[in-house]
Amino acid sequence: MPKELFYALPEEKRQRILDAAVQEFSCAEYHSASINQIIKTADIARGSFYLYFEDKRDLYIFLVEQVFRTRLKAFTQQVAGQKFTTLRAFHDALFSFNLNMLHDERYNALFCNLYISMEYSFSREMRMVTAQIRQDMLSALPFLTETAEQAERTDAQLELLQLLTHALLVSKVLEKRDDADVIQEYRRKASIIC
């Protein structure tokens, strides 16, 4: 997570740093991405970078979380007013939104590189990020979690659906699968989960 000084920066400068990071991580996989290029594009001093972030990994995890949250907010706005009566209906809409995200020019390369360079060393941090996002989603679905037992089951199902989504999006990117094939596999496997 960024250091406190990052949050004290003017919004324009914070956004410039994040835009530079999106640009660099879109052009290069994590291990090949250059802090020097991010610094140059963002027009900040090298020393300043380390006042804002511990290292490249710290920036990367934060950036991925911010992009996920931005996309979740866009999804929430897109489905505002829709009444989902089941977790499956909600997640079907979310899966379609995520699949379409791979066609968004701004994030396509970033997500392709994210899926390509995802490795075990990131899994702990990414699990924490996705767990928090999952909790945020559950709070938006109170009708599905009226009791503690329902909440626990819904959380487990949502976690499995997230893992399925991740695996299918990775396979789409790495194997260059078409959307129809990915959607068909999603529907078949999601029907087992809920």
Side-chain angles (χ1 to χ4, degrees):
M1 285 287 117
K3 297 177 182 178
E4 286 185 35
L5 191 56
F6 177 77
Y7 294 108
L9 292 172
E11 173 63 28
E12 181 274 328
K13 188 169 186 177
R14 283 194 316 261
Q15 194 57 51
R16 199 170 68 229
I17 294 167
L18 293 177
D19 288 346
V22 167
Q23 183 178 333
E24 180 62 13
F25 289 119
S26 294
C27 293
E29 293 177 29
Y30 171 78
H31 293 290
S32 302
S34 166
I35 291 176
N36 287 334
Q37 188 60 49
I38 294 169
I39 290 166
K40 181 179 175 184
T41 304
D43 193 27
I44 61 171
R46 183 171 188 78
S48 295
F49 177 85
Y50 292 102
L51 294 174
Y52 309 143
F53 299 95
E54 289 292 328
D55 52 22
K56 180 170 68 170
R57 181 188 189 94
D58 192 33
L59 169 62
Y60 187 71
I61 297 294
F62 178 72
L63 177 68
V64 169
E65 179 178 7
Q66 293 307 301
V67 170
F68 281 172
R69 289 194 177 284
T70 299
R71 299 300 297 165
L72 181 59
K73 183 177 180 183
F75 169 73
T76 304
Q77 290 170 345
Q78 179 180 313
V79 299
Q82 292 185 30
K83 302 290 185 214
F84 296 106
T85 56
T86 65
L87 176 64
R88 174 66 190 278
F90 169 80
H91 200 273
D92 285 355
L94 183 58
F95 179 80
S96 294
F97 181 83
N98 284 325
L99 186 59
N100 289 332
M101 170 183 63
L102 292 177
H103 301 289
D104 181 333
E105 288 184 28
R106 174 161 166 79
Y107 296 113
N108 175 276
L110 175 69
F111 279 100
C112 287
N113 283 336
L114 169 69
Y115 294 135
I116 289 168
S117 62
M118 186 59 67
E119 58 184 50
Y120 180 77
S121 64
F122 283 113
S123 65
R124 186 174 143 261
E125 287 99 336
M126 296 313 293
R127 275 197 316 271
M128 291 183 342
V129 166
T130 57
Q132 184 57 54
I133 291 171
R134 193 169 56 252
Q135 287 305 310
D136 294 348
M137 283 192 282
L138 284 175
S139 68
L141 303 169
F143 61 89
L144 292 175
T145 58
E146 294 171 359
T147 68
E149 183 179 315
Q150 287 173 319
E152 188 174 326
R153 179 181 176 163
T154 300
D155 182 56
Q157 289 173 320
L158 193 52
E159 182 176 12
L160 290 171
L161 289 168
Q162 279 183 324
L163 292 169
L164 173 61
T165 298
H166 176 77
L168 290 173
L169 294 178
V170 168
S171 73
K172 176 176 176 41
V173 168
L174 297 180
E175 300 167 19
K176 301 191 182 338
R177 295 173 64 187
D178 66 35
D179 287 2
D181 182 43
V182 172
I183 290 168
Q184 182 180 17
E185 185 174 349
Y186 166 79
R187 288 181 178 152
R188 186 172 48 80
K189 291 181 176 178
S191 69
I192 297 167
I193 297 169
C194 57

